[in-house]
């Protein structure tokens, strides 16, 4: 009987697709395995089987599965249940979730390649561009379009390719592209006929005239501990040649004589070195009380919030919890908001858990992520996974605990592309699917989390004292508006901050300077006419990067050389406005030329090793002053930091967002917590132009409760979370009038069914990105309302919009629980 499978493909398309299984593959296809399937006219993708049966589930003519890639499933049943929940909750497709979840190396797809037609004879002269392409194709095999475009230097190549296709001068073909290749090592062994002592002795005698070959063979027998009837040890080609001090040609001679053979052995990329482990540290009385309270809370509730001040020793509590979960034979997922944090915490966890710990984040090479995925499916998976938000997609088999450190961080929210999930909320759902517990830890909880804890939905444990009774840092407030008026500021630095930096350096202590904006200057401006360079693709000014001497758009990456004169008026006075981390670094190097200075922001941490180097240099005292964006605020633990400078608190307050005050408090409290973490009370110099703001006083007093009460009053009044859920609806199009009309039409449809829950459409703060105009509609939904019905209505309205001929090319997408 004919067999059929339903598969999902890693594309933003709704639902699953049915394929017939050829007779020769019927025994190989299983639920959760990867298959190569044709999709569309000529493309091939890696689908995952989510149903097998003897009847097709679609009304269309079915194509056949081309190949089966797996002997065992790479997707587990509970994983797929999680994928389905995520697609439903965050209003995206199963294909979106599949594409985000599975490493690229596990998704084979076809690539369009162009090759010359050897039988082509031109009946008319070819254009210069056409001839150039044919010449390139005549040099060798088929090439992909991107490479052809690069080598030909023809900017828009597709019309040229189409013209050559029409003339039958070239042909198009699809080739499967494999991204992952296992790491292998060349190893040496005796050939089949040489695996008995009699033949071996005869061969050694025959090699008496080939002394070098005899030495290599003897060295192999020594290294492999060869004995007839017993399995020899593996010997690598490199190790054998080094031990025998022989050239490759000598070994090749033994291979040609049929004595030894070389084979490839898959070694993998994951660390397998045995690392010694130590016992967990003894907890302080306050930490032990907090741990006992968490365990008591877990007996009644599945989620618990640990609200502990900075440097209270939350990580040690996590380690004790992990140890208990591992003893029960379960796995642990430990989530962090930033890759930078994994660098520092890895060593602490590895000392205790050794090779039971696995690390997973996007700075790892894709091949390494593939191998971690495969290991988690094996019989010996990592028991503890430490990683950032994408770690929630790994295939866990027996998850028992999820720890979400710094749960308030906005980095847990995925922005683009879909699924636009929040890793904290998604991890809580993942844990519930397994029946596991979730611990949320932070010094500055998000308003929604703290509300849930106060209302009794989550357990709540508070840890109000720092480890070893070290006091919270003393915060000195500096009014830089008044100092600026009196002309006492030195660039962006107040006299007090400069004095404290000088004292810290003289005492061989360290300093952290926080400025939440990268680059040298947010913009440059013509002093004569006010001209400001703007991105040609986005509605933003370009940021000046002095080191590269160029202007860059932080949204689309567009770059523009710094003009010598103003293109609007010809003026030569182009001045910098504002300042970023690069400018701070420049000024500090001039003010303190003897100090060793480092900068940690997106520009300096693009590689995995860059994070590790910056942090280890600072940790080991090779850096005196660390300048950074919000990266430096996120849970980093340094012994010798005595001074923290917050250069401009006001820059965090002026965002058009209902969460701006909450975020500003969190950032300032967190970065302040980096000071004085070991030996004595630290100092924070907080520079602001608005010293009388209630928020600034709340930061000075570390009064989170007052901030919480203020925010709760505002949000209840204006119908914001935690009292309402938010869903943002975005519409994008290349033509502004089309985006405007489609948004107005969609908002009208939504109001018909949802009434005053719908606000907009409006322009977002940046209303054009990558040449697409954007409009936003906000939907506010009461907590008690049926989200399922709301989502269903949204998708029905979307279908009605794109069914209109005018709006067929409008891109509509959603952001549930936006940050």
């Amino acid at each position: 009987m004919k067999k059929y499978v339903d598969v999902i493909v890693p594309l933003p398309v709704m639902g699953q697709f049915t394929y017939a299984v050829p007779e020769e593959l019927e025994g190989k296809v299983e639920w959760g395995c990867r298959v190569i399937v044709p999709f569309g006219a000529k493309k091939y993708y890696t689908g995952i089987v989510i149903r097998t049966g003897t009847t097709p589930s679609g009304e269309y003519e079915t194509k056949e599965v081309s190949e089966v890639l797996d002997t065992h499933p790479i997707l587990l049943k509970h994983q797929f249940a999680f994928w389905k929940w995520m697609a439903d909750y965050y209003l995206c497709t199963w294909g979106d979730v599949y594409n985000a979840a599975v490493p690229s190396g596990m998704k084979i797809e076809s690539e369009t390649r162009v090759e010359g037609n050897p039988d082509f004879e031109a009946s008319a002269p070819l254009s210069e561009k056409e001839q150039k392409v044919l010449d390139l194709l005549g040099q060798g095999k088929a090439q992909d379009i991107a490479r052809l475009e690069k080598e030909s230097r023809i900017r828009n190549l597709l019309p040229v390719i189409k013209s050559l296709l029409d003339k039958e001068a070239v042909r198009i073909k699809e080739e499967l592209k494999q991204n992952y290749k296992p790491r292998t090592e060349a190893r040496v062994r005796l050939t089949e006929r040489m695996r008995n002592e009699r033949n071996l002795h005869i061969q050694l005698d025959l090699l008496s005239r080939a002394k070098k070959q005899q030495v290599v063979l003897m060295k192999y027998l020594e290294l492999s501990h060869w004995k007839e009837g017993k399995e020899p040890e593996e010997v690598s080609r490199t190790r054998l040649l080094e031990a025998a001090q022989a050239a490759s040609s000598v070994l090749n001679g033994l291979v040609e004589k049929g004595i030894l053979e070389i084979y490839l052995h898959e070694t993998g990329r994951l660390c397998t070195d045995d690392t010694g482990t130590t016992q967990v540290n003894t907890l302080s009385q306050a930490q032990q009380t907090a741990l006992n309270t968490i365990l008591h809370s877990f007996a009644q509730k599945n989620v618990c919030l640990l609200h502990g001040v900075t440097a209270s020793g939350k990580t040690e509590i996590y380690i004790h919890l992990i140890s208990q979960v591992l003893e029960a034979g379960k796995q642990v997922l430990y989530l962090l908001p930033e890759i930078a944090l994994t660098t520092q915490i890895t060593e602490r966890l590895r000392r205790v858990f050794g090779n039971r710990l696995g690390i997973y984040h996007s700075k790892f090479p894709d091949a390494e992520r593939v191998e971690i995925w495969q290991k988690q499916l094996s019989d010996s998976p990592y028991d503890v996974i430490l990683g950032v938000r994408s770690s929630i997609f790994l295939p866990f088999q027996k998850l028992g605990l999820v720890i979400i450190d710094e749960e308030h961080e906005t980095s847990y929210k995925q922005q683009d592309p879909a699924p636009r999930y929040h890793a904290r909320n998604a991890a809580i759902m993942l844990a519930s699917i397994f029946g596991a517990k979730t611990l949320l830890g932070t010094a500055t909880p998000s308003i929604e989390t703290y509300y849930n804890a106060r209302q009794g939905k989550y357990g709540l444990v508070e840890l109000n004292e720092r480890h070893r009774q070290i006091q919270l840092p003393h915060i000195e407030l500096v009014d830089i508006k008044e100092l600026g008026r009196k002309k006492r500021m030195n660039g962006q630095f107040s006299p007090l901050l400069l004095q404290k930096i000088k004292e810290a350096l003289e005492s061989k202590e360290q300093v952290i300077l926080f400025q939440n904006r990268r680059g040298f200057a947010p913009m440059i401006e013509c002093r004569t006419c006010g001209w400001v360079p703007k991105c040609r693709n986005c509605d933003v000014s370009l940021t000046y990067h002095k080191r590269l001497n160029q202007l860059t758009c932080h949204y689309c990456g567009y770059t523009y050389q710094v003009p010598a004169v103003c293109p609007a008026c010809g003026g030569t006075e182009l001045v910098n406005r504002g300042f970023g981390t690069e400018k701070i670094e420049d000024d500090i190097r001039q003010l303190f030329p003897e100090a060793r200075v480092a900068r940690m922001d997106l520009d300096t941490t693009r590689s995995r090793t860059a994070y590790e180097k910056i942090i280890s240099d600072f940790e080991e005292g090779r850096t005196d002053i660390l300048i950074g964006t919000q990266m430096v605020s996120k849970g980093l633990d340094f012994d010798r930091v005595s001074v923290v400078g917050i250069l401009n608190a006001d820059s965090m307050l002026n965002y058009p967002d209902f969460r701006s005050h909450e975020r500003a408090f969190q950032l300032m409290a967190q970065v302040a917590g980096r000071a004085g973490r070991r030996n004595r009370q630290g100092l924070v110099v907080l520079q602001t132009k608005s010293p009388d703001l209630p928020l600034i006083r709340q930061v000075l007093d570390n009064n989170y409760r007052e901030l919480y009460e203020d925010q709760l009053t505002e949000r209840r009044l204006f119908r914001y979370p935690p009292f309402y859920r938010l869903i943002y609806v975005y519409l994008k199009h290349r033509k502004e009038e089309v985006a405007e009309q489609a948004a107005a039409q969609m908002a009208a449809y939504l109001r018909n069914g949802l009434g005053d829950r719908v606000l907009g459409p409006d322009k977002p703060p940046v209303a054009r990105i990558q040449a697409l105009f954007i409009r936003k509609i906000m939907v506010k939904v009461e907590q008690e309302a049926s989200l399922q019905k709301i989502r269903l209505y949204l998708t029905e309205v979307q279908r009605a919009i794109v069914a209109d001929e005018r709006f067929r090319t409008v891109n509509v997408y959603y952001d549930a629980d936006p940050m």
Side-chain angles (χ1 to χ4, degrees), residues 393-514:
F393 293 117
L394 282 170
F396 293 95
Q397 299 180 48
K398 45 187 180 176
L399 191 62
L401 174 67
V402 177
I403 296 170
I404 304 167
D405 199 14
E406 310 295 350
E407 67 80 27
H408 65 279
E409 278 290 347
T410 55
S411 305
Y412 282 125
K413 183 72 162 84
Q414 163 76 8
Q415 300 299 339
D416 277 308
R420 294 170 181 83
Y421 65 97
H422 196 299
R424 176 193 63 213
N425 302 342
I428 290 171
M429 174 54 67
L430 178 67
S432 74
I433 290 172
F434 276 93
K437 304 297 182 184
T438 306
L439 180 65
L440 310 173
T442 178
T444 53
S446 68
I447 299 296
E448 292 95 318
T449 297
Y450 198 65
Y451 178 79
N452 285 332
R454 299 285 297 175
Q455 294 297 304
K457 184 178 178 181
Y458 301 163
L460 175 60
V461 177
E462 307 218 60
L463 190 56
N464 295 319
E465 64 178 55
R466 279 185 150 194
H467 189 49
R468 297 179 183 169
Q469 306 294 316
I470 293 168
Q471 290 178 290
L472 284 167
H474 172 67
I475 302 179
E476 286 274 359
L477 191 64
V478 177
D479 184 350
I480 55 175
K481 185 177 179 182
E482 181 65 17
L483 287 173
R485 190 180 64 79
K486 293 177 179 176
K487 295 188 169 38
R488 293 184 58 203
M489 291 290 288
N490 188 337
Q492 313 309 323
F493 309 100
S494 62
L496 176 67
L497 179 57
L498 290 176
Q499 177 62 29
K500 296 300 178 186
I501 293 172
K502 184 170 180 260
E503 289 173 7
L505 295 176
E506 287 171 352
S507 304
K508 305 296 182 190
E509 292 169 337
Q510 292 172 306
V511 177
I512 290 177
L513 298 178
F514 171 69

Side-chain angles (χ1 to χ4, degrees), residues 270-334:
L270 305 181
C271 177
T272 54
D273 297 339
D274 283 331
T275 54
T277 57
T278 59
Q279 293 294 312
V280 294
N281 295 328
T282 305
L283 296 179
S284 68
Q285 187 176 344
Q287 288 171 326
Q288 188 62 52
T289 302
L291 176 61
N292 294 339
T293 314
I294 290 167
L295 293 170
H296 178 73
S297 172
F298 278 159
Q300 302 160 45
K301 295 181 172 70
N302 289 327
V303 184
C304 180
L305 168 64
L306 173 59
H307 181 199
V309 296
T310 54
S312 56
K314 294 187 287 295
T315 306
E316 284 301 325
I317 295 174
Y318 301 156
I319 289 170
H320 277 256
L321 265 176
I322 292 168
S323 296
Q324 292 186 19
V325 172
L326 297 191
E327 283 173 16
K330 300 280 189 179
Q331 291 173 297
V332 177
L333 170 60
Y334 188 146

Side-chain angles (χ1 to χ4, degrees), residues 60-76:
Y60 46 84
E61 183 183 346
T62 56
K63 298 178 181 179
E64 286 195 337
V65 169
S66 299
E67 187 56 75
V68 179
L69 297 176
D70 303 305
T71 54
H72 300 286
I74 62 107
L75 177 67
L76 306 177

Side-chain angles (χ1 to χ4, degrees), residues 491-651:
Q492 313 309 323
F493 309 100
S494 62
L496 176 67
L497 179 57
L498 290 176
Q499 177 62 29
K500 296 300 178 186
I501 293 172
K502 184 170 180 260
E503 289 173 7
L505 295 176
E506 287 171 352
S507 304
K508 305 296 182 190
E509 292 169 337
Q510 292 172 306
V511 177
I512 290 177
L513 298 178
F514 171 69
Q515 168 60 14
N516 204 25
R517 189 187 288 272
R518 63 189 172 105
F520 191 85
M523 64 182 197
I524 63 172
E525 181 184 68
C526 173
R527 185 170 277 174
T528 308
C529 71
W531 171 81
V532 173
K534 299 278 181 71
C535 176
R536 69 179 182 186
N537 305 314
C538 313
D539 284 345
V540 291
S541 58
L542 297 171
T543 301
Y544 173 46
H545 290 258
K546 184 180 179 183
R547 194 151 294 175
L548 301 170
N549 192 34
Q550 67 183 20
L551 300 159
T552 304
C553 173
H554 288 171
Y555 284 87
C556 72
Y558 169 72
T559 58
Y560 180 76
Q561 286 304 308
V562 181
V565 296
C566 172
C569 71
T572 55
E573 285 194 89
L574 297 174
V575 293
N576 300 323
R577 296 295 184 202
F579 60 98
T581 49
E582 194 182 357
K583 165 75 170 160
I584 299 303
E585 180 187 21
D586 214 44
D587 291 350
I588 282 291
R589 287 186 187 280
Q590 290 180 29
L591 291 165
F592 300 99
E594 301 302 315
R596 296 163 297 177
V597 182
R599 172 163 56 95
M600 188 161 78
D601 57 26
L602 194 62
D603 297 319
T604 62
T605 55
R606 296 198 182 274
S607 73
R608 170 181 163 189
T609 52
Y611 276 106
E612 294 167 1
K613 178 158 177 36
I614 292 169
I615 289 169
S616 67
D617 282 355
F618 195 64
E619 205 167 26
E620 293 170 24
R622 292 192 291 269
T623 303
D624 301 314
I625 302 174
L626 179 63
I627 298 154
T629 55
Q630 59 182 357
M631 287 182 185
V632 299
S633 74
K634 298 183 180 180
L636 294 170
D637 189 0
F638 301 113
D639 291 357
R640 294 187 287 274
V641 175
S642 62
V643 176
V644 167
I646 299 173
L647 298 179
N648 187 0
D650 309 271
S651 65

Side-chain angles (χ1 to χ4, degrees), residues 270-271 331 355-358 375-376 380-385:
L270 305 181
C271 177
Q331 291 173 297
N355 284 342
R356 301 175 80 180
L357 173 72
K375 183 171 174 62
Q376 292 310 94
S380 57
Y382 288 120
D383 294 317
V384 184
I385 287 289

